[in-house]
Amino acid sequence: MKNRDIRISKNINGDIPYLTEVLPMIPTNTIILYKKLTGLGATYGELKAKRNSIIIEPNKPVISGKCKDPKHKDDNLFGVFEGVYTDNIIAYIERSIKQKKHFKILTTPESFYKVQEAFDEMEIDIRFNCFLLFDECHKIIKDVDFRSDIALPMDFFFECRQKALVSATPIEFTDPRFEEQNFQTITIVPTFDYAKEINLHATNNLLQSAKEMLGRTEKCFIFCNSTDTIYALMQQLGLLDESAVFCSDKSVGKLKDLKFNNASDIWNKDMMKRYNWLTSRFYNAVDIELEEKPTVLLLTDCYFTEYTVFDPNTDVIQCVGRFRNGVSSIHHISNTNRNFMVRSKDELKGYISCSREIYDMLQNLYNYATTISTKDAYRAAVEALPFTKLLDGNGKVNYFAIDNYVNAELVLSLIHISEPTRLRRIS
């Protein structure tokens, strides 16, 4: 892919300008990389752009926040997620046409099919009449292992004439279609020092370390990707009455069953308490605008909940970037696990390549098996192979799943060996 850099500097007031000031319109077949700067306003620019836009956002809280933002009250925004139906989208399209307004639809990946159905019924071809933007595109790779539908819009994405992807914390895509369609990468390069200091606390007692840290904070936001861990810590530390939890709708129900009612599946400033706990659906894209600068605490428990491990190249940067007025300090408390394997990217690619050879060999034996019993035996063997997990529903190689596997293994290797508490800079 071609690469192009655009340098960005702070203005005379010391503020970072919006992306539109250096790139007025996002060009097609482009991956926009923010060089670790969050909140540059790529979505904002597209919602203001004088063209029909469909923006795929990672989850509902992001969409709800954009649709309620006063900055967009005149931009004809329409959110699509669970509970919004094809008929609602059709009514929006008809209303927009009648009012001569551009379509500005924000949808989750899982609800994108409803947008397609609505446009099909209206006999409008999205591929030629809308700009399709996938925001926070690193989430396709990060989440595809437990949320396979996040990649569903990508086949259609590559059919569109006008399309782009955006991320402040990109992960390299290996899908060959990016090369085949001559995608370019535009990297926004800051001319100023944008790194932030983070305190790393390696511990063998997560509860005690959290207790010590929380005891000396006034307003704190705690990111932890496990509702069970969050509730256990709130209960054991006696913080239930001083806490608010922002998590998935399913987890809200789980907490209510435990008699904890101050939980929500969307960001709500009015619900804030001294301790505010957030799961991974709030790591990206949600704007948290506060007058004060809170303490940010990241909690990793790699023994009981492996998925609470933070990727320093994506998750940490995204969590800190939620706070538009900045933060007072950043702390990451984590235990470590010597049982995690440490392998380089080349070693992981070699493992995948070998797994594919084994899969192809057994699949070939299955194809040429002459009896039902031997076919059944080979099919069972094929289904148990590691490489089978890296295929999509049609049996084709899922490059996003491969990228996910490599990234996840590299992240786990970072917490293999225990290290002392120290201060680092994130960039």
Side-chain angles (χ1 to χ4, degrees):
M1 288 189 290
K2 295 181 294 183
N3 297 299
R4 171 187 167 199
D5 289 349
I6 296 179
R7 300 177 74 80
I8 187 170
S9 303
K10 292 184 178 180
N11 58 34
I12 57 174
N13 296 320
D15 297 325
I16 302 172
Y18 270 149
L19 180 65
T20 50
E21 296 183 37
V22 294
L23 190 68
M25 193 87 85
I26 298 175
T28 189
N29 285 26
T30 302
I31 304 175
I32 306 290
L33 310 179
Y34 281 8
K35 198 67 175 180
K36 312 282 176 74
L37 288 176
T38 57
L40 283 187
T43 308
Y44 173 87
E46 189 55 42
L47 292 174
K48 295 290 185 181
K50 297 185 183 302
R51 61 186 176 192
N52 295 322
S53 308
I54 299 174
I55 301 173
I56 302 174
E57 294 286 0
N59 48 48
K60 177 183 173 182
V62 182
I63 297 172
S64 298
K66 300 289 185 189
C67 290
K68 294 176 181 178
D69 193 329
K71 295 192 294 287
H72 296 297
K73 62 183 179 67
D74 298 321
D75 292 333
N76 195 38
L77 272 56
F78 187 78
V80 181
F81 37 76
E82 186 178 5
V84 178
Y85 303 101
T86 301
D87 288 346
N88 304 127
I89 305 169
I90 291 173
Y92 163 81
I93 294 172
E94 291 175 336
R95 184 169 64 251
S96 300
I97 293 173
K98 184 177 180 180
Q99 296 174 350
K100 297 182 179 180
K101 294 183 177 180
H102 288 111
F103 309 138
K104 296 294 176 182
I105 297 175
L106 299 99
T107 178
T108 59
E110 291 84 352
S111 289
F112 181 72
Y113 78 94
K114 293 181 283 189
V115 178
Q116 288 180 276
E117 290 176 351
F119 275 84
D120 287 343
E121 287 199 34
M122 293 295 295
E123 297 184 347
I124 302 173
D125 196 330
I126 293 175
R127 297 173 300 171
F128 302 101
N129 292 283
C130 295
F131 190 92
L132 186 58
L133 178 67
F134 207 120
D135 194 20
E136 306 292 355
C137 62
H138 63 281
K139 293 290 285 181
I140 307 172
I141 294 173
K142 294 289 292 184
D143 291 1
V144 73
D145 57 336
F146 67 91
R147 184 186 171 193
S148 60
D149 287 353
I150 194 171
L152 280 180
M154 291 308 295
D155 286 340
F156 185 83
F157 174 87
F158 284 108
E159 295 178 11
C160 293
R161 184 177 61 183
Q162 301 286 320
K163 56 188 179 293
L165 304 101
V166 173
S167 177
T169 53
I171 302 171
E172 182 183 359
F173 290 114
T174 60
D175 193 310
R177 289 175 291 186
F178 289 105
E179 291 283 355
E180 292 165 2
Q181 295 195 13
N182 297 315
F183 266 72
Q184 67 169 333
T185 298
I186 296 179
T187 304
I188 310 302
V189 181
T191 61
F192 50 89
D193 183 9
Y194 56 88
K196 294 180 175 62
E197 293 182 338
I198 179 170
N199 295 278
L200 302 181
H201 306 265
T203 182
N204 60 2
N205 190 330
L206 193 71
L207 177 65
Q208 182 61 32
S209 296
K211 180 180 180 180
E212 293 173 359
M213 187 66 232
L214 293 174
R216 57 178 188 262
T217 62
E218 286 303 316
K219 182 75 70 176
C220 188
F221 282 77
I222 309 108
F223 292 86
C224 179
N225 195 28
S226 168
T227 312
D228 291 337
T229 301
I230 289 173
Y231 184 79
L233 288 171
M234 290 192 300
Q235 187 179 50
Q236 293 177 52
L237 296 175
L239 305 178
L240 289 169
D241 293 336
E242 295 182 273
S243 292
V245 179
F246 301 92
C247 53
S248 69
D249 184 50
K250 181 179 179 181
S251 293
V252 169
K254 182 192 295 186
L255 290 171
K256 286 184 176 179
D257 290 341
L258 295 169
K259 310 303 180 185
F260 182 84
N261 296 313
N262 198 34
S264 174
D265 66 333
I266 60 172
W267 164 246
N268 185 346
K269 185 177 179 180
D270 295 334
M271 286 182 59
M272 273 198 313
K273 295 278 190 173
R274 180 179 177 182
Y275 304 109
N276 302 280
W277 307 75
L278 305 94
T279 60
S280 63
R281 71 192 270 118
F282 293 91
Y283 288 7
N284 302 265
V286 178
D287 294 341
I288 301 178
E289 298 183 0
L290 308 172
E291 293 181 5
E292 67 269 39
K293 295 183 178 182
T295 297
V296 170
L297 179 60
L298 314 172
L299 291 180
T300 290
D301 185 351
C302 60
Y303 278 97
F304 296 103
T305 46
E306 189 175 295
Y307 49 86
T308 62
V309 175
F310 285 88
D311 183 343
N313 297 309
T314 57
D315 300 328
V316 175
I317 295 165
Q318 289 288 347
C319 289
V320 176
R322 297 309 94 227
F323 303 93
R324 295 314 188 207
N325 194 37
V327 300
S328 61
S329 62
I330 311 162
H331 302 264
H332 184 190
I333 298 176
S334 175
N335 47 25
T336 56
N337 193 334
R338 293 178 180 271
N339 296 320
F340 288 153
M341 294 184 66
V342 178
R343 289 184 287 184
S344 68
K345 182 179 286 189
D346 286 341
E347 288 173 326
L348 291 168
K349 288 181 177 179
Y351 171 81
I352 292 170
S353 178
C354 183
S355 297
R356 183 169 188 173
E357 290 175 5
I358 297 169
Y359 172 86
D360 289 340
M361 180 182 67
L362 283 180
Q363 184 65 46
N364 190 57
L365 290 171
Y366 167 80
N367 292 338
Y368 287 96
T370 56
T371 66
I372 293 176
S373 59
T374 53
K375 272 189 173 293
D376 286 345
Y378 282 129
R379 181 171 58 245
V382 167
E383 290 175 351
L385 291 174
F387 193 76
T388 303
K389 299 176 182 178
L390 304 179
L391 304 176
D392 63 19
N394 298 316
K396 296 181 180 179
V397 176
N398 185 342
Y399 290 95
F400 302 112
I402 291 176
D403 296 340
N404 169 276
Y405 171 77
V406 172
N407 178 258
E409 291 296 314
L410 291 174
V411 171
L412 288 180
S413 70
L414 297 175
I415 56 173
H416 170 77
I417 300 173
S418 179
E419 297 177 343
T421 301
R422 65 204 183 283
L423 190 70
R424 278 189 179 176
R425 303 186 84 205
I426 59 172
S427 60

